[in-house]
Amino acid sequence: RVAVIPTDERLLREIYKRYLRPFSEYSDENKTRSAKVWVPIDIMALAKRFRCDEDLIFGRLYYHMNAKYGSHTGSGDQVNFFSMRIGGDRHCVNFPLLASVLSDLQDERKRFIVSTRLAGLSLVVSAASIFIAIYR
């Protein structure tokens, strides 16, 4: 059986849903991880959720998304999307960056759905117009 890898949006939505609370609960008094913006994730649990090999999830985050969504600041510093290790934490996502990327992907999907539905409606109206013109 071939593994079905989730889309970027589905994977990021799942990570966001699972780790929003731990991200939000971090404070100077409640330091549950090495850094506020870097949230460690359980790649094995995500792989089980999507019924695929954990190396596919890891590769998607580390190789694909890090290159696609990471960036450089104006001063030349690199902003990573995913990091192997931050302090004592392993497999960390830059949560604010993840939330921004997810928001963009969801917005893009909504625009696609609206334009597709409008195109479908236009097709129905055109077909009805042709039908009326022919059989009138």
Side-chain angles (χ1 to χ4, degrees), residues 40-51:
I41 62 172
D42 185 345
I43 290 178
M44 182 68 89
L46 290 167
K48 284 181 184 175
R49 161 66 181 87
F50 291 111
R51 292 184 220 135

Side-chain angles (χ1 to χ4, degrees), residues 63-122:
Y63 298 110
H64 172 71
M65 290 188 193
N66 212 26
K68 186 173 183 178
Y69 302 122
S71 63
H72 293 280
T73 64
S75 61
D77 293 332
Q78 186 165 343
V79 178
N80 287 319
F81 181 84
F82 179 83
S83 183
M84 288 286 291
R85 186 170 300 284
I86 299 291
D89 299 323
R90 197 167 167 237
H91 297 154
C92 300
V93 292
N94 182 328
F95 204 81
L97 181 55
L98 179 144
S100 296
V101 169
L102 178 59
S103 176
D104 285 349
L105 291 173
Q106 289 175 335
D107 189 46
E108 187 177 302
R109 188 171 133 270
K110 285 176 192 171
R111 281 195 309 267
F112 174 77
I113 289 170
V114 167
S115 63
T116 301
R117 287 181 180 167
L118 286 174
L121 179 61
S122 297

Side-chain angles (χ1 to χ4, degrees), residues 10-81:
R10 284 188 64 215
L11 178 57
L12 297 183
R13 185 176 354 126
E14 184 67 25
I15 293 170
Y16 183 83
K17 183 177 79 177
R18 286 179 184 225
Y19 297 100
L20 177 60
R21 175 173 274 166
F23 171 75
S24 301
E25 290 175 346
Y26 182 93
S27 69
D28 287 335
E29 298 79 36
N30 184 29
K31 292 186 178 187
T32 54
R33 56 187 181 273
S34 298
K36 175 159 176 64
V37 299
W38 289 101
V39 178
I41 62 172
D42 185 345
I43 290 178
M44 182 68 89
L46 290 167
K48 284 181 184 175
R49 161 66 181 87
F50 291 111
R51 292 184 220 135
C52 66
D53 188 280
E54 64 268 14
D55 287 334
L56 295 176
I57 300 293
F58 172 82
R60 187 75 174 265
L61 291 164
Y62 186 69
Y63 298 110
H64 172 71
M65 290 188 193
N66 212 26
K68 186 173 183 178
Y69 302 122
S71 63
H72 293 280
T73 64
S75 61
D77 293 332
Q78 186 165 343
V79 178
N80 287 319
F81 181 84

